Amino acid sequence: MNILLKSAKIVNGATKEIHLKKRDILIKNGIIEKISTSIDAPPKTKIIENKNLHVSLGWIDTGVSFGEPGYEERETIENGLRTSARSGFTDVILNPNSLPLPDSSSDIVFLKNAGKGEVTNLHPLGNLTVGGKGETLAELYDMRNAGAVGFYDFKQAVANANLLKIALQYAQNFNGMILSFPLDHQIAGKGIVNEGVTSTKLGLKGIPSMAEELQVSRDLFILEYTGGKLHIPTVSTADSVKLIAAAKKKGLNVTCSVAIHNIFKTDEVLEDFETNFKVLPPLRTSKDAKELIKGVKNGIIDFVTSDHTPLNIELKKVEFDHAEYGTIGLESSFGALNQLFSTEETIDMLTRGRKTFGIEVPEMKEGVKANLTFFDPTVEYTFTEAHITSSSKNSLFLNHMLKGKVLGTIANDQVYLND
């Protein structure tokens, strides 16, 4: 397949000579053949033009959930990957959030095979412990050999400190990545939203910031003792950012992410008891959101993630106390980030992460495989269900103004074009 991007503004800070320059880009059989100020289209070439066409390296989301196997009504892998491609992502890291949980090499092989043949590449995480029960380490080495890029009991902290110690020590033998969710469940108790003025006013049980910060502090202390690679997914408090900044200053090999909705909204929106705003970690205060944004800008927070968690309607259309945690976020990721940050900052955030998880990093140059996302960063619109291609519609971003439209993606010698 031949594809020609015409007069596309390149957003790629890593390649200074073409950064923010308008160029034609010719792709033949999945390879970038030529980047030039003007290229004549060869025969049988698909030409992609737009009055405000921008292009960057393909985007990556470091934490998404689908449903398959076990919860296909929430999201199949096929539809999840096509939603990812439509949303601009050429790589996604899949959370272990299915039934059965992926805690063996055969489970990882199943997930890898289910994701073949799509524009978007699927990179599964394996469970850290057998059955996600937090008791016995799963087959980490075998899962790594089968294609797992890290090990994580989804939304579960490693409660057993010794188990985390052993996992970090063991995984160093094969450069494995250990993930630990930042929440002390004993401190959190039966809390369901951020503990503060809003929770008190609404009569909802709160999760104190301390529940996150104690867990982060303990995990960092263990990491300092053991060495190894630790990733802390979806931090949500100002003091968590400070703790991680101090750990990085010490030279510890720690990375972290923030969910886009935790920097886009605060707990003030809970006053209508809208269950789509029930997420974990919970929406925090404006002070927390400001520090999280600052952490993303200065690199203390390594990645942003949609934390895409599709849930069928009966898990959300219930009383707030009984609703499940989670929001979808793939389709709204670019528009939400581009509303908060400059386009250059947004693209930088959306292209970080591959190297940390051992995934091949694409390049914007002639002779390499095309892994690209193209978009118009100026389009403003109200996000509605019409913009959602996920099987589940539980979006925190519904009816919010977003900025920026994804036009398509190119990867694996395929192109996905949006309407």
Side-chain angles (χ1 to χ4, degrees):
M1 178 186 294
N2 295 343
I3 301 166
L4 179 61
L5 300 176
K6 289 294 292 182
S7 194
K9 190 172 186 178
I10 295 171
V11 185
N12 179 20
T15 312
K16 300 295 184 183
E17 60 271 18
I18 56 174
H19 180 50
L20 302 182
K21 302 288 197 305
K22 285 191 174 183
R23 294 288 186 271
D24 288 1
I25 303 174
L26 178 63
I27 299 158
K28 282 189 176 182
N29 300 318
I31 304 296
I32 298 175
E33 181 171 278
K34 191 174 183 182
I35 301 174
S36 181
T37 51
S38 181
I39 300 173
D40 294 329
K44 297 181 180 179
T45 296
K46 172 70 177 178
I47 299 175
I48 298 173
E49 293 182 283
N50 185 279
K51 65 179 182 180
N52 199 25
L53 181 63
H54 285 58
V55 64
S56 72
L57 294 175
W59 304 343
I60 179 170
D61 193 326
T62 58
V64 305
S65 298
F66 297 145
E68 187 179 357
Y71 301 116
E72 284 84 356
E73 73 280 6
R74 299 179 185 178
E75 193 84 277
T76 62
I77 289 174
E78 179 182 38
N79 192 66
L81 290 177
R82 290 182 182 175
T83 297
S84 302
R86 180 182 177 84
S87 304
F89 296 96
T90 56
D91 290 274
V92 294
I93 294 178
L94 182 66
N95 289 318
N97 186 21
S98 58
L99 188 69
L101 292 167
D103 59 7
S104 69
S105 57
S106 59
D107 295 326
I108 300 300
V109 169
F110 168 81
L111 293 171
K112 292 286 287 184
N113 286 338
K116 284 183 177 177
E118 300 292 339
V119 177
T120 302
N121 301 300
L122 182 146
H123 309 279
L125 294 168
N127 264 95
L128 180 65
T129 65
V130 175
K133 295 179 180 178
E135 297 170 356
T136 307
L137 286 182
E139 303 172 359
L140 306 190
Y141 181 68
D142 289 345
M143 286 194 288
R144 174 60 183 265
N145 287 340
V149 297
F151 310 102
Y152 178 33
D153 289 351
F154 180 64
K155 299 291 184 182
Q156 297 293 320
V158 185
N160 184 328
N162 191 54
L163 192 70
L164 179 61
K165 176 178 76 74
I166 293 169
L168 285 165
Q169 290 172 326
Y170 175 57
Q172 289 177 62
N173 293 302
F174 49 90
N175 199 31
M177 170 76 80
I178 304 299
L179 291 81
S180 178
F181 186 64
L183 183 69
D184 185 312
H185 290 280
Q186 290 181 315
I187 296 291
K190 295 182 179 179
I192 56 173
V193 298
N194 179 59
E195 181 183 85
V197 173
T198 300
S199 66
T200 302
K201 185 163 58 174
L202 300 179
L204 296 172
K205 293 178 180 175
I207 300 173
S209 297
M210 180 176 64
E212 175 170 309
E213 292 146 14
L214 276 176
Q215 189 72 37
V216 170
S217 181
R218 190 212 70 172
D219 290 355
L220 292 173
F221 193 88
I222 294 171
L223 177 66
E224 187 172 7
Y225 175 81
T226 60
K229 291 166 61 176
L230 177 68
H231 180 65
I232 303 174
T234 61
V235 297
S236 69
T237 78
D239 282 347
S240 289
V241 178
K242 292 177 184 176
L243 289 166
I244 292 165
K248 289 188 172 190
K249 195 172 182 180
K250 288 181 180 179
L252 301 188
N253 192 350
V254 58
T255 54
C256 66
S257 67
V258 64
I260 295 169
H261 48 260
N262 278 102
I263 57 177
F264 192 79
K265 285 293 176 183
T266 68
D267 62 354
E268 293 175 0
V269 301
L270 297 173
E271 293 188 355
D272 292 331
F273 295 94
E274 168 56 62
T275 58
N276 283 335
F277 293 128
K278 187 177 180 183
V279 291
L280 192 70
L283 299 177
R284 302 284 189 183
T285 66
S286 57
K287 176 188 172 183
D288 291 308
K290 287 175 184 175
E291 290 302 314
L292 292 168
I293 288 172
K294 190 185 298 183
V296 171
K297 286 189 173 186
N298 64 24
I300 298 302
I301 296 176
D302 300 87
F303 321 122
V304 295
T305 173
S306 68
D307 200 22
H308 180 82
T309 307
L311 296 168
N312 32 308
I313 192 168
E314 59 268 25
L315 298 177
K316 280 292 189 180
K317 292 294 183 181
V318 293
E319 291 180 359
F320 194 92
D321 281 4
H322 302 296
E324 289 288 328
Y325 294 106
T327 176
I328 58 172
L330 281 167
E331 296 99 325
S332 51
S333 292
F334 176 57
L337 287 172
N338 198 46
Q339 185 80 290
L340 295 173
F341 303 93
S342 72
T343 298
E344 287 181 66
E345 289 173 324
T346 297
I347 299 307
D348 176 54
M349 294 171 206
L350 291 171
T351 52
R352 298 180 195 171
R354 290 180 174 88
K355 187 175 180 181
T356 299
F357 287 91
I359 298 167
E360 182 181 357
V361 180
E363 296 179 273
M364 183 87 70
K365 67 179 186 180
E366 296 174 358
V368 303
K369 291 186 292 184
N371 186 318
L372 305 172
T373 300
F374 40 103
F375 54 94
D376 180 343
T378 62
V379 178
E380 293 185 302
Y381 62 99
T382 300
F383 187 75
T384 67
E385 282 200 12
H387 298 102
I388 296 175
T389 53
S390 300
S391 302
S392 298
K393 311 301 179 186
N394 56 301
S395 174
L396 174 154
F397 298 90
L398 284 170
N399 303 315
H400 286 86
M401 183 64 69
L402 303 182
K403 181 182 179 184
K405 179 183 179 182
V406 176
L407 301 175
T409 46
I410 300 172
N412 300 322
D413 196 16
Q414 299 180 68
V415 59
Y416 190 102
L417 295 175
N418 289 335
D419 300 331

